[in-house]
């Protein structure tokens, strides 16, 4: 009941927040609401920015804090373990398959339409208000009417672009309580960040062009170099726009897929983009977009703290198909749901590059282990495979991670009669964790009915079939996979038959424990959501106190330029976040120090890896072989496979190349089979 009340309250708060955005461009808001709010919130300590923070910043930070409490209560009472056979909403079915937006469901299209309507409504409202007396304004300024309209159009585009900026950072906040409260994860929301980013840069580019043309026509090109002390700083806006254009150009799919490193490094220009945006418009107006960036900044700093720790890499299993499985020690309280991911950094290859990989271990079955699979498909992954498969002895291997991150623990795996898992190449890795989760439920004697699983996997060569062995968990207790209704249809597309030379056993590389290595642990401990809520609330309070001190000193001693005030406020924001996050992190580290010391001092390999080199005659391996049917020299007929499913509810999950996912989405959205419920797994980065 408490969680339901909190969820209802969060919904009402969010609806009220969205209403403000719709009312913002109206005369009612500017001429009546805003003056009254400013009059009642006028303070010596906060000035004009106090009302802006109260209206736009405080509600979202309050929602994020309350969302942390909501998620903590759900974790505490185990609500995430309750799974029912609830039918999937038709709103989640794909409606658009091919095109610039990718695979889009009805629900996503509805929210995107509402967002575009908000932008269109704001644009028309601002223009109507500004064009009402445009003739008189033009005559007073000595301008032609079209020149005045061009200037006002540029201003309108800037105001509308700020709406996009306000929502831009929510999808890329990986540990966001806002996203998790509504059942979303950051990796599934990356495409929203891409959509909003493209819209924002289109609007901001048009905004800059309008002013450049206006200054050129009115012989005011000197305005390009203007950095006003009180008014808008044109030069700061131009620097921010150039940084944004650099990020925008390198984020285009044609460049991002071919030159990912260029995209990755260039995207860090977001720091300069935001800093010069604040200098451009002033901190008071920047408070409109502040809450999303504030939450992102907290998340980014916590990720930085976690990335400074070396994690304990116990062993690596080398597969003959240029694939390696990394196995780490982890603290038992670190739980992750199927399809969760971690970001990995290997300083021996690159100190700056972080790459996401799917977690293949199951937190229920492997309480002290976390594993992931890396297939050589690029320069970084190829270098990793070469280093680990090198015959030279390795005393240690330094690795840092961020995460895990993933979808909410309450999944929909049990609501279907049949799960059809479609993968291409390394796209099989998310399905390993799904199958292991269902295997745990089936072997634990649960009364819940486990759906039948049909795994359709396509590989280029027969040597890649070795990845199927990763489905079997490497644990101290033998788990018979025959208790699971699993059927595997493997397709080898570029070979006509089996190559006997490819059947090589898996090799295991062990690493000596290092005193400075730590097991994978939650950055904020077992009560991470409560700690995150504490950081959000306490850092904001500290931020307000620092602003109040500056404003008081500002009014009594000297006058700062608006850019200087903005610089101080941004510095205070970073200090408040760093101080509260560091204090929480150190407190949690002190609480866990004893347990971590016990794990570090293990002299023998963990029991879960005693059988790291699997015996080919073992019962689980033989059960896996019996469940597998290999097809050589052909591709799966996806339409036939999906349409022949006659169960009342069939969950279809696709993972792998974009073309394959689009083909499956088109089949499921064709309307010829109402029992198909589609879901796509993709990593946009």
């Amino acid at each position: 009941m408490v969680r339901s009340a909190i969820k209802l309250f969060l919904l009402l708060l969010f609806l009220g927040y969205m209403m403000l955005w719709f009312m913002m461009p109206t005369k009612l808001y500017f001429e009546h609401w805003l003056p009254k709010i400013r009059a009642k919130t006028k303070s010596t300590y906060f000035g004009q920015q106090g009302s802006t923070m109260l209206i736009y910043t405080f509600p979202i930070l309050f929602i994020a804090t309350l969302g942390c409490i909501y998620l903590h209560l759900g974790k505490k009472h185990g609500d995430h373990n309750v799974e029912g056979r609830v039918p999937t909403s038709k709103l989640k079915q794909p409606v658009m398959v091919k095109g610039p937006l990718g695979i889009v469901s009805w629900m996503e299209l509805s929210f995107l339409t509402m967002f575009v309507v908000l932008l269109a409504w704001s644009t028309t409202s601002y223009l109507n208000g500004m064009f009402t007396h445009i003739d008189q304004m033009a005559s007073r300024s000595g301008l032609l009417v079209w020149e005045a309209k061009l200037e006002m159009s540029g201003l309108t585009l800037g105001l509308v672009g700020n709406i996009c900026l306000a929502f831009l950072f929510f999808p890329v906040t990986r540990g966001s309580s806002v996203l998790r409260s509504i059942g979303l994860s950051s990796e599934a929301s990356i495409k929203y960040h891409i959509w909003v980013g493209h819209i924002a840069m289109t609007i901001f580019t048009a905004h800059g062009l309008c002013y450049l043309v206006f200054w050129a026509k009115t012989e005011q090109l000197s305005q390009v170099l203007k950095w006003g002390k009180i008014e808008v700083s044109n030069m700061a806006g131009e620097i921010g726009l150039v940084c944004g254009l650099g990020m925008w150009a390198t984020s285009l799919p044609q460049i991002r897929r071919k030159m990912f490193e260029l995209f990755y490094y260039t995207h860090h220009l977001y720091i300069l983009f935001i800093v010069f945006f604040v200098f451009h418009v002033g901190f008071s107006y920047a408070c409109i977009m502040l809450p999303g960036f504030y939450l992102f900044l907290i998340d980014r700093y916590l990720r930085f703290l976690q990335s400074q720790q070396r994690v304990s890499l116990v062993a690596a299993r080398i597969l003959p198909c240029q694939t390696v499985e990394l196995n780490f020690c982890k603290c038992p309280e670190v739980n992750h749901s199927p399809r969760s991911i971690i970001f990995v950094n290997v300083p021996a290859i690159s100190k700056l590059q972080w790459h996401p990989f799917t977690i293949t271990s199951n937190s229920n079955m492997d309480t002290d282990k976390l594993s992931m699979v890396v297939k050589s498909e690029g320069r970084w992954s190829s270098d990793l495979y070469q280093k680990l498969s090198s015959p030279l002895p390795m005393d240690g291997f330094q690795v840092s991670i961020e995460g895990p991150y993933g979808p909410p623990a309450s999944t929909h795996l049990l609501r279907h009669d049949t799960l059809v898992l479609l993968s291409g190449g390394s796209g099989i890795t998310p399905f390993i964790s799904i199958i292991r989760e269902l295997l745990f439920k089936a072997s634990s004697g649960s009364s819940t009915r486990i759906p039948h699983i049909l795994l359709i996997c396509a590989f280029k060569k027969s040597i890649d079939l070795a990845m199927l062995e990763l489905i079997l968990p490497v644990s101290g207790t033998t788990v018979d996979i025959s208790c699971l209704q699993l059927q595997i249809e493997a397709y080898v597309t570029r070979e006509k038959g089996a190559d006997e030379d490819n059947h090589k056993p898996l090799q295991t590389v062990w690493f000596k424990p290092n005193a400075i290595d730590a097991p994978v642990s939650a950055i904020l401990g077992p009560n991470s959501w409560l700690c995150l809520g504490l950081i959000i609330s306490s850092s904001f309070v500290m931020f307000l106190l620092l602003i109040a001190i500056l404003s008081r000193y500002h009014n009594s001693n000297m006058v700062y330029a608006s850019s200087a005030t903005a610089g101080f406020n941004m510095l205070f924001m970073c200090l408040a976040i760093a101080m509260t996050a560091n204090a929480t992190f150190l407190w949690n580290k002190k609480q866990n120090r004893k347990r971590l010391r016990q794990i570090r001092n293990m002299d023998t390999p963990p029991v879960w890896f005693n059988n790291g080199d699997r015996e080919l005659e073992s019962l689980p391996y033989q059960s896996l072989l019996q469940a597998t049917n290999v097809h050589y020299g052909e591709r799966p007929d996806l339409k036939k496979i999906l349409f022949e499913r006659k169960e009342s509810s069939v969950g279809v999950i696709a993972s792998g190349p974009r073309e394959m996912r689009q083909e499956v989405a088109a089949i499921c959205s064709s309307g010829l089979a109402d029992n198909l419920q589609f879901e796509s797994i993709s990593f946009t980065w």
Side-chain angles (χ1 to χ4, degrees), residues 25 163 188 233 249 269 281 293 297 301 338 453 455 555 618 671 673:
I163 301 175
S233 300
L269 289 173
V281 301
F293 184 71
L297 206 58
Y301 189 73
I453 304 173
L455 173 61
N555 291 331
S618 64

Side-chain angles (χ1 to χ4, degrees), residues 333 524-527 531 583-597:
E333 71 269 11
L524 296 177
N527 298 318
C531 291
T584 308
F585 170 73
L586 293 175
W587 178 83
N588 176 68
K589 189 175 181 179
K590 182 179 179 181
Q591 295 295 318
N592 295 334
R593 187 171 296 167
K594 184 177 180 180
R595 182 173 68 256
L596 296 180
R597 189 182 299 116

Side-chain angles (χ1 to χ4, degrees), residues 16-74:
Y17 178 75
M18 292 306 301
M19 186 193 71
L20 282 175
W21 283 105
F22 278 95
M23 295 301 299
M24 188 176 175
T26 63
K27 287 186 177 181
L28 178 63
Y29 177 84
F30 271 108
E31 297 179 1
H32 299 280
W33 291 10
L34 189 58
K36 292 181 180 179
I37 294 174
R38 286 179 174 174
K40 293 183 178 180
T41 58
K42 186 178 180 180
S43 170
T44 306
Y45 297 97
F46 299 109
Q48 184 176 347
Q49 65 192 11
S51 59
T52 314
M53 283 192 290
L54 176 65
I55 298 172
Y56 291 99
T57 306
F58 176 76
I60 292 298
L61 297 186
F62 184 70
I63 288 174
T65 304
L66 203 57
C68 291
I69 299 175
Y70 171 80
L71 294 169
H72 174 76
L73 292 176

Side-chain angles (χ1 to χ4, degrees), residues 293-310:
F293 184 71
Y294 192 94
L295 295 175
F296 170 79
L297 206 58
I298 292 176
D299 179 76
R300 187 66 189 87
Y301 189 73
L302 290 175
R303 285 158 45 196
F304 168 77
L305 292 177
Q306 187 181 28
S307 67
Q308 301 308 299
Q309 298 180 342
R310 284 183 50 173

Side-chain angles (χ1 to χ4, degrees), residues 398-644:
Q398 183 176 349
V399 180
S400 299
I401 70 166
E402 292 179 2
Y405 308 103
S410 179
T411 64
H412 56 277
L413 299 177
L414 301 180
R415 67 175 56 171
H416 302 293
D417 298 313
T418 297
L419 280 177
V420 180
L421 311 178
L422 301 164
S423 70
S426 59
I428 193 176
T429 51
F431 297 148
I432 296 175
S433 59
I434 292 177
I435 294 175
R436 289 188 182 183
E437 173 72 12
L438 296 175
L439 179 59
F440 169 79
K441 293 181 180 296
S443 61
S444 61
S446 174
S447 59
T448 306
R449 182 177 178 273
I450 307 299
H452 173 72
I453 304 173
L454 175 59
L455 173 61
I456 310 294
C457 48
F459 301 105
K460 294 180 180 179
K461 299 180 180 180
S462 58
I463 195 173
D464 295 326
L465 293 172
M467 295 188 69
L468 293 175
E469 295 187 38
L470 299 176
I471 294 176
L472 296 176
V474 182
S475 57
T477 59
T478 301
V479 179
D480 188 3
I481 201 171
S482 61
C483 66
L484 197 64
Q485 301 179 71
L486 174 63
Q487 177 185 354
I488 302 175
E489 300 292 334
Y491 292 81
V492 180
T493 59
R494 296 187 179 180
E495 293 181 3
K496 298 297 183 180
D499 189 349
E500 297 298 332
D501 296 335
N502 292 334
H503 295 284
K504 301 177 182 179
L506 278 66
Q507 299 178 359
T508 303
V509 179
W510 293 90
F511 301 98
K512 295 181 180 180
N514 195 309
I516 64 174
D517 290 349
V520 178
S521 59
I523 185 62
L524 296 177
N527 298 318
S528 56
W529 288 120
L530 275 185
C531 291
L532 178 61
L534 178 64
I535 292 174
I536 295 173
S537 56
S538 58
S539 64
F540 188 62
V541 170
M542 183 179 296
F543 174 49
L544 293 178
L545 290 175
L546 292 174
I547 287 180
I549 294 172
L550 177 67
S551 298
R552 182 65 177 174
Y553 185 73
H554 170 283
N555 291 331
S556 59
N557 291 277
M558 60 183 299
V559 176
Y560 296 111
S562 59
S563 58
T565 303
F568 278 120
N569 288 346
M570 286 187 285
L571 176 63
F572 292 159
M573 181 174 63
C574 295
L575 285 175
I577 291 174
M579 292 174 65
T580 53
N582 277 325
T584 308
F585 170 73
L586 293 175
W587 178 83
N588 176 68
K589 189 175 181 179
K590 182 179 179 181
Q591 295 295 318
N592 295 334
R593 187 171 296 167
K594 184 177 180 180
R595 182 173 68 256
L596 296 180
R597 189 182 299 116
Q598 293 174 350
I599 299 176
R600 287 195 195 102
N601 292 336
M602 289 189 305
D603 295 327
T604 59
V607 66
W608 46 262
F609 223 87
N610 286 345
N611 60 343
D613 297 317
R614 193 186 315 283
E615 296 181 3
L616 300 182
E617 294 79 12
S618 64
L619 178 61
Y621 185 80
Q622 293 301 318
S623 300
L624 180 64
L625 287 179
Q626 294 174 5
T628 304
N629 185 23
V630 182
H631 308 265
Y632 291 96
E634 59 179 301
R635 298 179 181 274
D637 187 346
L638 300 178
K639 185 176 295 186
K640 179 181 178 182
I641 292 172
L642 294 177
F643 285 165
E644 70 181 7

Side-chain angles (χ1 to χ4, degrees), residues 627-667:
T628 304
N629 185 23
V630 182
H631 308 265
Y632 291 96
E634 59 179 301
R635 298 179 181 274
D637 187 346
L638 300 178
K639 185 176 295 186
K640 179 181 178 182
I641 292 172
L642 294 177
F643 285 165
E644 70 181 7
R645 311 309 306 182
K646 302 303 181 184
E647 297 87 344
S648 59
S649 177
V650 179
V652 182
I653 308 178
S655 172
R658 179 182 55 177
E659 294 76 11
M660 188 265 299
R661 289 185 283 110
Q662 289 178 340
E663 181 182 357
V664 177
I667 295 172

Side-chain angles (χ1 to χ4, degrees), residues 344-416:
V344 179
N345 171 259
V346 180
I349 300 176
S350 174
K351 294 183 179 180
L352 298 178
Q353 291 187 41
W354 290 81
H355 294 266
F357 296 98
T358 305
I359 298 175
T360 54
S361 57
N362 179 263
S363 58
N364 294 318
M365 195 175 294
D366 305 301
T367 57
D368 59 349
K369 180 190 81 166
L370 187 146
S371 62
M372 49 165 275
V373 175
V374 182
K375 185 172 176 59
S376 299
E377 294 182 340
R379 188 172 66 180
W380 186 91
S381 55
S382 298
D383 290 345
L384 176 65
Y385 181 82
Q386 292 298 326
K387 286 183 178 295
L388 293 175
S389 59
S390 173
L392 298 177
M394 300 182 67
D395 293 335
F397 200 74
Q398 183 176 349
V399 180
S400 299
I401 70 166
E402 292 179 2
Y405 308 103
S410 179
T411 64
H412 56 277
L413 299 177
L414 301 180
R415 67 175 56 171
H416 302 293

